[in-house]
Every structure is written in C-alpha cells, then in structure tokens.
Amino acid sequence: QKEVEQNSGPLSVPEGAIASLNCTYSDRGSQSFFWYRQYSGKSPELIMFIYSNGDKEDGRFTAQLNKASQYVSLLIRDSQPSDSATYLCAVASQSGGSYIPTFGRGTSLIVHP
Amino acid sequence: EAGVTQFPSHSVIEKGQTVTLRCDPISGHDNLYWYRRVMGKEIKFLLHFVKESKQDESGMPNNRFLAERTGGTYSTLKVQPAELEDSGVYFCASSQIGTPDTQYFGPGTRLTVL
C-alpha cells in the first residue's frame, strides 16, 4: 500500500517568515511529486511539482526532493496571511498509462500577521 | 477559459437512494479523474478516463459505483444504492494528454448520506 505521510499541523508562522512543510512517502518507484494548496471549502490547486532530486524554485516557493530519503518538502519564503491553507503532498508513478497520485492528508498552515 | 465544474455542489440523500454526480472537464482535456475525500482522510483516487475509455478504475470501492463518460466530454458518477460510508467530498480533475501530471481540480461535490 502506497503511503504519503504529512504532519497535520497546524503549522503556525509569523508573517514574513519561512514556512517549511514536509512529506515522506513509501513507494521508492515514485516518479513525480506535487504540492497542492487547498483553501477551506475549495478545490486543491497545484502549486509545485518536482521530478528530480534537488531544489526547484518558483517565486516564493521552493520544492525540495530527496529520493534516497524518500522525502519531499515545500518552503514558502516571506509567508503571507494569504498563504494560510492546507498543503497537500502527492506522489505519483506511471502505471499502464495512468499517472495516479497518492495524496497525504495535508498540513494546515497558519500565517499570522 | 472555464475551469472544471461539478454539479451539484452539495447533495444530501438517505441510505439506499441513488445519486448522480456530474463533472465537466476543461475543454480539450482528454484525461478525467474522479477522487473522493472522506472526512479526516486523504484524497483517494477512484478512476481515470482517457476520452470515453476507462483507463484505470482500480480505486472504485465496489460495484455500487458506476462512472461513465459518454462522448468523451462530461462524466457522471452514480452511486446506487448509497450507503453511509459513501459520504464525503467527490472531486473531479482533468488534464491534457501529454501533461497528465498537471491536473486541474473541480470544486467538488459534498455528498452526505443519512
């Protein structure tokens, strides 16, 4: 059974700080790694994806992947109150033409002014 | 460009009744996925269409669930008869062929079975 583990939080950080969200996964064959942001009552929104070991930066977001240790993290620099949401980690591998992600339960992030 | 839409947004039914959920993917997206999130649990995959064909339905919980995608456009997910454990939020997502990783999610249908 493929599993993706996340600390449910909440993770509380002050405005302007760096928020660090972590995720571990069980399937060593995983190929794609995603971070989704979900505001309360809304749909998940893809904010980052990463395929290779190392860092990938996009604006204030940096995704970090370490396949040997089977973890992926998301750093949010200069956190804003509008970043307050649940962040879902998802991990996928291709199987028979399908690319099906396995989701974690999410980490709740609160950015306080 | 319109996003993924789902109807209804909420549905409250009694155990034993039938409910049909609808998903309209983004125009031109041949991949369509159904997911479900039960309260307190993670989002779980149900099935994947490529156009009108079921590519993967390994996540469908049992034969009370029937998904269709006639003509390769919108999709329906029917639950018949509904049970209490079917309650949750049902999400639909779509993506383009060639970029299956980039899935766009709909707002979800919250199903409550009493």
Side-chain angles (χ1 to χ4, degrees):
Chain A
Q1 174 115 1
K2 300 176 183 178
E3 293 184 342
V4 176
E5 299 289 339
Q6 294 182 257
N7 188 319
S8 62
L11 172 66
S12 182
V13 300
E15 183 174 358
I18 296 175
S20 178
L21 304 160
N22 300 309
C23 167
T24 59
Y25 60 93
S26 63
D27 182 11
R28 284 196 170 273
S30 300
Q31 299 165 301
S32 306
F33 307 85
F34 309 90
W35 283 100
Y36 286 83
R37 177 176 62 199
Q38 187 175 23
Y39 293 111
S40 181
K42 302 295 185 182
S43 56
E45 174 193 8
L46 181 65
I47 55 173
M48 289 286 289
F49 59 87
I50 186 168
Y51 303 129
S52 305
N53 276 330
D55 295 0
K56 179 181 178 182
E57 186 175 319
D58 183 1
R60 296 186 296 112
F61 299 97
T62 299
Q64 299 175 317
L65 175 60
N66 184 324
K67 289 187 178 180
S69 299
Q70 295 176 244
Y71 86 79
V72 57
S73 62
L74 179 70
L75 301 178
I76 306 175
R77 289 181 301 282
D78 188 24
S79 296
Q80 301 297 310
S82 58
D83 294 327
S84 299
T86 296
Y87 289 80
L88 305 173
C89 173
V91 173
S93 56
Q94 193 165 16
S95 174
S98 287
Y99 228 110
I100 306 305
T102 299
F103 285 86
R105 296 189 183 188
T107 297
S108 174
L109 172 66
I110 299 172
V111 181
H112 52 88
Chain B
E1 178 184 282
V4 178
T5 58
Q6 292 187 244
F7 182 83
S9 56
H10 292 83
S11 181
V12 180
I13 61 172
E14 294 192 350
K15 176 183 172 181
Q17 290 186 321
T18 298
V19 63
T20 300
L21 313 180
R22 173 171 169 146
C23 167
D24 286 78
I26 293 173
S27 178
H29 282 195
D30 288 333
N31 288 310
L32 187 148
Y33 309 81
W34 283 100
Y35 297 89
R36 176 173 72 175
R37 185 167 196 171
V38 172
M39 186 177 292
K41 302 280 190 176
E42 66 275 16
I43 294 173
K44 284 200 170 179
F45 165 78
L46 296 178
L47 88 160
H48 170 212
F49 283 99
V50 177
K51 298 184 179 180
E52 66 276 7
S53 300
K54 292 177 184 175
Q55 180 75 24
D56 184 342
E57 51 184 331
S58 60
M60 294 288 264
N62 51 60
N63 59 11
R64 295 186 293 103
F65 289 75
L66 175 63
E68 294 180 325
R69 192 182 183 194
T70 307
T73 54
Y74 71 91
S75 175
T76 58
L77 179 64
K78 180 190 288 188
V79 185
Q80 178 182 30
E83 298 289 345
L84 299 179
E85 63 265 25
D86 300 332
S87 296
V89 180
Y90 290 76
F91 289 105
C92 174
S94 71
S95 68
Q96 291 180 314
I97 293 287
T99 59
D101 293 356
T102 308
Q103 298 185 22
Y104 296 88
F105 278 73
T109 293
R110 181 174 296 277
L111 174 64
T112 302
V113 183
L114 302 176

